[in-house]
C-alpha cells in the first residue's frame, strides 16, 4: 500500500504561529505616513482593534494561538498533505509532488485560517461589525463564515468583475449572514469618486479596500473595524499554520525537506503561509527553492519596483514597503481575481529583496490548461489562483524529469474552483482569451508612486 | 481538548463491501419481465457488464474490494466522521450528533464511491464508454470523474430542471471530459417521444434513465454500457463503505452504537450506504431507529405502494419490487433533484416492508431553513438533498432535549451545496415557494402501475 494522504490528529495541530519578522536577516522597514514618519499604533486604532495592531508590530518569533481559535480551526484542521502521485505518473516525473490541501475549509480556501483569528480578536476587543474587501470572493466568504461563528455583522465590498464572473459567491456570503456589494459602489465616497471617473471599471482590490476602510472608519458607533485578507504581517502570521503542519506531514511521508516550495501570491498570505517556515530553514542553511507565483497581468514581483506605496487606490492606508505596480493600477479582468492586487505583502517583498525567494509570472491560458490536467489526474477542480501554482509545479516536475532528479516539490492547493466554473466553461469552449498587460498601462500606473518615499533595498547578499 | 473530527488512517479502510441481501429476514424477490418471469443475467448483458451483473445477483455477505478500486478511493477516503458539536450547542440538546462527511470527494458527494467501482468493472470487461442519467448532477459529476481516472468516455443525460437550475454542473462534467445533455433530449427515441407529448416538461430521473439505457443498448460497437447511480443492489453495495467506516469511527469517539441513523433517500444509495451495516446490527438485536428521508413532493416511501414497477419512464428496465409512485410520475421541480425519483431501491424497500426502517417526508422550505441553521453553526453549505437529513436530525435533537435523553444521532452528510446556490439565493430572498404534490396527480401516476404484477409484502413481523 502506498500512502496518498498524510493526516495529523487534532493533538498535532500547531499551538503557535510563526513570526518570520523575528528571523529576517535585515529588519523590516516600518509602515509610514505620507510625511515619511513611522505609523504609530494609535494611528491604526480606528481601523483595527489594538490586539491585532500589537500582533502586526510584534517581533516575537512564536505567538500562541488562543484555545478558542484552535477550537474553530478544528472544524477543518489539521488539513491534509496529499501526494499527487497520479499527476507524477501522468508527467512521468521522478519528482515526488505533495500538496497541502487548503480547499477543505468550509469557505473553500486557506482564507478562514486568518478570518477566524481576526474575527475572534475583534470580538475580544468589543467590536460588533467587520467590513472588508474581496477579489474572487474567497476572502469575503471566509470572513462571512468566521463572523457567523462568532455572531459578528459582516459587510463585504466585492470587486465588480469577480462579482459578475462569480455570482454565487455573494449567495455563499449571504448564507452565512453577510452583506455583499459590488465595488466600486455608491455606498462610499471612494466608490462614488471612482464610478464618476470610470463608470465601467472592472474594479480592483485597491478600490475595494478603500471602500471597506472608509465604511469602517466612518461608522459612528465606534464598534466597526476593518479586516484585511492578506498583505499585512498579522494576516501572514495566521497563515503560517499551513507550513507548520506541512513540515510535520512531510516527515510522516519520510521526506527530509522539500527541494521546491511553490504557492500562488496575490497579496501574499497563501504563499507566505506555506513558505515562511521553510524560508526559516533556508535562512538556517537548508537549500530550498521557494517560488511565489503571480499572474503575468499583475506582475508586481517580476516587473514592479520595491518601494513605499499605498495599500489601496484612495490612499487611505499607510505607505508600505513593497513590490508594487502603483496603487492606481487596475489589472486586466483575469478570472484569478485573488491575484489582481497591485502590491505584495511587505514580508514577502523583503524575502524577494533578500533573494530568499524567486518569483515567477504565469499566463492565464497556461494556468487553465494545467488546471484541467490536474482535474483529470488528481480529481479536484482548482481555483484559478491555485492553477497558477499548479502550472509552475508541472514545469518543475518536467524539469526534474529532464534532469533525472528525484526532487520533492511541495505546493499549496489554496482553494477549490467550484465557484469559478464560468472561467472553465469559457476555456473549454475555446472562448477564453489571453489577457495581456500593455507596457504603456504599466508605465502609466507607475507614475502614481514616483513621488512617494523610497524604501531601502537592504540585503545581506547571502542568497 | 474535545474531539471534533474522527479520522481513520488508510490502513483502516474497509476491504470488503457489505451485502445486506445475505442477511435480510425474507429473501429478496427477483427482478422480473413484464411476463412475470425472473430476469436472467443474459437479459441484462446489453445494459451492464457481466461482472457487475454477478455482483447485482450475489448473496455473499462480504465482497472483496479490488485493490485498484481502493487505490482510487484513497483519493478522498476514509472520509471523516465529524461531531456536530456547534449545532448541538445551538439546539441546547443533550444528543450527541455525528455526521459522516461524504462531501469531501472530488465530485462533492457520496456518489464517487460507486462511480469508481462501476467504471473499473466496466473497464475490466473491455467497455470503452458509459452512459448515465443524473438528477441534480451529483451522480453525473461522479461518473465523469471516475471515467476520467480510467480513460473511459462518458455521456450524461441530465434532468432538464436541474440542468437549468445548476448550470455549472455541466461545466464540472466537461472539466473531467464528459459530455452532458439536458433530458428529455432529441438524441433518443425515448426523449423525442416525451418531448412530443410534453415539450415543457421539467424532466425526471425516470425519463433520463430511459434515454441513457437506450443510448447504451443501441450503440453498435458493443463497447458501451449503462451505469446507474442508485437503486440497484450493486450500487448500494458499493456505498456500504460509508457505514462500515462510520462504525469504526463511532468506536473511536467512544460510542457503543447510534440510537438514531438518518440519511436522505432519492434512489436509496446514500441512505443504504450509511444505514445497512446498522440495519444488520438491528437484525441482530440492537435497538436502533433508522430513518430514510424523502421529499414530500416525491413521497414513494410514505405514500406509495410496494409493488413491481419499471425503473424508468419508457419501460426499458426490468420490473423491480419497490415502493413507487408509478414510472410515469414526474415530481414537482424541487431543488433537491436527487430526490426526484419515482421509486425506492428494492433492498431499502424490503427493509421498510420488514419494519427495520421507518421513512419520513420533509417539505422543501423546512429543509432550507435547516440548511441555513447548519451553515451558520457547523460552517458548511449542504446540498438540498442533504438538507432533508439535517431537517430530521434537528427534529430528533429537539426531541432528545424534550425527553432529556443523551441520544447518539448519526447521519450522512451526503454532499455539499456549492453547485446548488441558486436555490439558496431564492430562499434567502424570500422567493422560494413551497412545492406541493396534489393528490390528483399522485392518483393519476399510480394508474400506470395498476396492471403490473404485484410484489409480495412478506415480513417476519419482528420489528
Amino acid at each position: 500500500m502506498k500512502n496518498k494522504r498524510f493526516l495529523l490528529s487534532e493533538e498535532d495541530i500547531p499551538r503557535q504561529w510563526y513570526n518570520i519578522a523575528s528571523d529576517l536577516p535585515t529588519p523590516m522597514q516600518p509602515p509610514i505616513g505620507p510625511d515619511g514618519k513611522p505609523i504609530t499604533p494609535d494611528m491604526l486604532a480606528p481601523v483595527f482593534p489594538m490586539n491585532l495592531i500589537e500582533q502586526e508590530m510584534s517581533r516575537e518569533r512564536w505567538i500562541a494561538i488562543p484555545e478558542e481559535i484552535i477550537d474553530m480551526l478544528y472544524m477543518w484542521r489539521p488539513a491534509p498533505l496529499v501526494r499527487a502521485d497520479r499527476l507524477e505518473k501522468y508527467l512521468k516525473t521522478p519528482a515526488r509532488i505533495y500538496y497541502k490541501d487548503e480547499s477543505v475549509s468550509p469557505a473553500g480556501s486557506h482564507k478562514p485560517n486568518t478570518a477566524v483569528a481576526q474575527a475572534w480578536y475583534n470580538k475580544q476587543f468589543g467590536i460588533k461589525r467587520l467590513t472588508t474587501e474581496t477579489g474572487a470572493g474567497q476572502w469575503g466568504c471566509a470572513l462571512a463564515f468566521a463572523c457567523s461563528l462568532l455572531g459578528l455583522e459582516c459587510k463585504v465590498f466585492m470587486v465588480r468583475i469577480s462579482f459578475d464572473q462569480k455570482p454565487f459567491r455573494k449567495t455563499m456570503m449571504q448564507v452565512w449572514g453577510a452583506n455583499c456589494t459590488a465595488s466600486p459602489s455608491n455606498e462610499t465616497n471612494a466608490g462614488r469618486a471612482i464610478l464618476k471617473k470610470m463608470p465601467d471599471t472592472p474594479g480592483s482590490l485597491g478600490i475595494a479596500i478603500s471602500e471597506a476602510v472608509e465604511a469602517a472608519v466612518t461608522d459612528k458607533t465606534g464598534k466597526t473595524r476593518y479586516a484585511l485578507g492578506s498583505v499585512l504581517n498579522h494576516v501572514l502570521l495566521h497563515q503560517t499554520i499551513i507550513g507548520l503542519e506541512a513540515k510535520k506531514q512531510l516527515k510522516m511521508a519520510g521526506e527530509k525537506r522539500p527541494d521546491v516550495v511553490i504557492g500562488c501570491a496575490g497579496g501574499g498570505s497563501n504563499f507566505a503561509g506555506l513558505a515562511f517556515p521553510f524560508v526559516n530553514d533556508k535562512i538556517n542553511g537548508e537549500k530550498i527553492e521557494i517560488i511565489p507565483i503571480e499572474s503575468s497581468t499583475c506582475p508586481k514581483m517580476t516587473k514592479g519596483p520595491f518601494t513605499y506605496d499605498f495599500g489601496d487606490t484612495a490612499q487611505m492606508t499607510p505607505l508600505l514597503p513593497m513590490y508594487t505596480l502603483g496603487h492606481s493600477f487596475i489589472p486586466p479582468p483575469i478570472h484569478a481575481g485573488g491575484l489582481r492586487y497591485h502590491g505584495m505583502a511587505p514580508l514577502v517583498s523583503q524575502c524577494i529583496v533578500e533573494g530568499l525567494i524567486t518569483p515567477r509570472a504565469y499566463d492565464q491560458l497556461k494556468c487553465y490548461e494545467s488546471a484541467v490536467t490536474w482535474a483529470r489526474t488528481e480529481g479536484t477542480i482548482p481555483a484559478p489562483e491555485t492553477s497558477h501554482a499548479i502550472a509552475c509545479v508541472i514545469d518543475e516536475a518536467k524539469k526534474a524529469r529532464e534532469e533525472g532528479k528525484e526532487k520533492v516539490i511541495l505546493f499549496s492547493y489554496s482553494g477549490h474552483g467550484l465557484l469559478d466554473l464560468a472561467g472553465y466553461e469559457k476555456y473549454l469552449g475555446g472562448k477564453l482569451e489571453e489577457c495581456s498587460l500593455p507596457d504603456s498601462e504599466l508605465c502609466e500606473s507607475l507614475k502614481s508612486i514616483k513621488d512617494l518615499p523610497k524604501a531601502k533595498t537592504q540585503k545581506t547578499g547571502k542568497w
Side-chain angles (χ1 to χ4, degrees), chain A:
Chain A
M1 201 206 63
K2 91 186 152 246
N3 283 107
K4 173 81 181 161
R5 298 188 304 151
F6 300 89
L7 307 176
L8 297 171
S9 70
E10 289 174 358
E11 294 82 45
D12 294 322
I13 201 167
R15 302 251 148 206
Q16 297 172 311
W17 291 302
Y18 169 61
N19 184 6
I20 201 172
S22 74
D23 287 321
L24 281 178
T26 49
M28 289 297 291
Q29 298 167 73
I32 58 176
D35 57 359
K37 288 185 186 156
I39 295 293
T40 61
D42 282 356
M43 294 162 81
L44 294 172
V47 185
F48 300 109
M50 196 49 74
N51 47 14
L52 282 177
I53 294 170
E54 283 163 13
Q55 217 168 59
E56 179 69 18
M57 301 191 164
S58 169
R59 287 290 167 90
E60 290 294 316
R61 175 175 287 126
W62 295 103
I63 295 177
I65 310 177
E67 205 56 42
E68 286 176 46
I69 292 177
I70 289 183
D71 222 49
M72 288 186 279
L73 293 173
Y74 278 150
M75 293 175 80
W76 70 97
R77 301 205 79 85
L81 181 79
V82 190
R83 174 96 182 258
D85 56 322
R86 288 170 190 273
L87 179 65
E88 291 169 17
K89 203 174 158 193
Y90 172 80
L91 295 172
K92 299 188 179 71
T93 178
R96 295 190 292 283
I97 303 171
Y98 297 88
Y99 64 99
K100 185 71 177 158
D101 189 359
E102 292 295 318
S103 75
V104 297
S105 76
S109 78
H110 66 293
K111 294 289 190 187
N113 296 331
T114 182
V116 296
Q118 290 191 51
W120 186 84
Y121 282 110
N122 271 283
K123 186 165 182 179
Q124 287 294 107
F125 196 70
I127 300 305
K128 304 284 184 203
R129 178 172 173 258
L130 288 175
T131 68
T132 197
E133 79 296 332
T134 196
Q138 299 272 26
W139 168 243
C141 283
L143 195 67
F145 155 70
C147 286
S148 89
L149 291 183
L150 289 162
L152 299 177
E153 273 184 69
C154 182
K155 167 78 187 181
V156 181
F157 292 89
M158 182 168 182
V159 176
R160 163 61 71 186
I161 176 70
S162 294
F163 189 89
D164 294 341
Q165 283 170 343
K166 305 163 206 270
F168 291 126
R169 282 280 179 200
K170 181 190 63 178
T171 312
M172 270 181 97
M173 296 178 222
Q174 288 172 337
V175 170
W176 286 307
N179 177 304
C180 174
T181 308
S183 165
S185 78
N186 273 312
E187 296 182 19
T188 66
N189 289 330
R192 284 185 289 267
I194 299 271
L195 280 176
K196 205 172 164 188
K197 266 206 311 206
M198 300 180 285
D200 298 325
T201 179
S204 71
L205 278 162
I207 296 169
I209 292 172
S210 297
E211 293 208 274
V213 172
E214 183 184 327
V217 300
T218 56
D219 178 354
K220 295 198 177 75
T221 67
K223 296 292 185 192
T224 298
R225 289 295 183 279
Y226 163 73
L228 186 60
S230 191
V231 180
L232 296 179
N233 302 345
H234 69 277
V235 185
L236 276 54
L237 175 81
H238 300 155
Q239 293 293 358
T240 57
I241 195 166
I242 302 173
L244 295 169
E245 284 182 4
K247 275 191 137 177
K248 294 188 185 190
Q249 288 163 309
L250 276 181
K251 272 190 194 145
M252 286 172 73
E255 307 290 1
K256 275 193 190 159
R257 82 185 70 82
D259 297 293
V260 189
V261 175
I262 297 165
C264 65
S269 78
N270 161 63
F271 166 76
L274 178 69
F276 278 1
F278 297 99
V279 172
N280 184 26
D281 290 346
K282 191 164 179 173
I283 291 170
N284 291 324
E286 294 274 17
K287 195 167 166 288
I288 311 175
E289 198 177 353
I290 304 176
I291 314 171
I293 312 293
E294 64 188 4
S295 162
S296 58
T297 64
C298 193
K300 57 255 187 174
M301 294 186 287
T302 54
K303 291 195 176 170
F306 175 71
T307 186
Y308 270 107
D309 194 9
F310 292 101
D312 72 317
T313 307
Q315 312 185 3
M316 298 183 73
T317 74
L319 291 162
L320 301 169
M322 58 184 184
Y323 280 90
T324 175
L325 298 169
H327 55 272
S328 71
F329 182 67
I330 296 181
I334 54 166
H335 282 268
L339 305 185
R340 294 181 69 249
Y341 184 63
H342 67 276
M344 178 45 62
L347 284 169
V348 174
S349 293
Q350 187 60 37
C351 289
I352 299 172
V353 169
E354 270 289 355
L356 284 161
I357 63 177
T358 47
R360 289 189 207 166
Y362 276 83
D363 294 338
Q364 176 163 269
L365 284 181
K366 175 163 176 160
C367 295
Y368 271 100
E369 187 193 336
S370 305
V372 170
T373 297
W374 178 269
R376 292 182 184 178
T377 52
E378 289 298 316
T380 54
I381 299 176
E385 293 80 6
T386 310
S387 75
H388 286 67
I390 295 172
C392 179
V393 166
I394 291 177
D395 276 354
E396 285 296 310
K398 286 180 179 169
K399 194 176 142 198
R401 182 181 65 202
E402 281 150 27
E403 299 174 347
K405 280 189 186 162
E406 274 197 33
K407 281 185 185 174
V408 174
I409 300 173
L410 170 68
F411 80 100
S412 166
Y413 190 85
S414 51
H416 65 64
L418 299 180
L419 278 291
D420 310 280
L421 287 162
Y424 281 93
E425 194 174 17
K426 275 194 184 169
Y427 171 73
L428 293 167
K431 287 175 190 159
L432 191 69
E433 284 173 25
E434 194 63 87
C435 277
S436 66
L437 177 66
D439 277 348
S440 57
E441 218 165 286
L442 200 54
C443 292
E444 191 56 36
S445 77
L446 287 172
K447 283 183 195 163
S448 68
I449 46 175
K450 74 174 170 34
D451 295 329
L452 295 176
K454 301 287 172 261
K456 288 180 234 159
T457 52
Q458 299 156 305
K459 57 181 148 187
T460 59
K462 282 192 195 163
W463 294 278

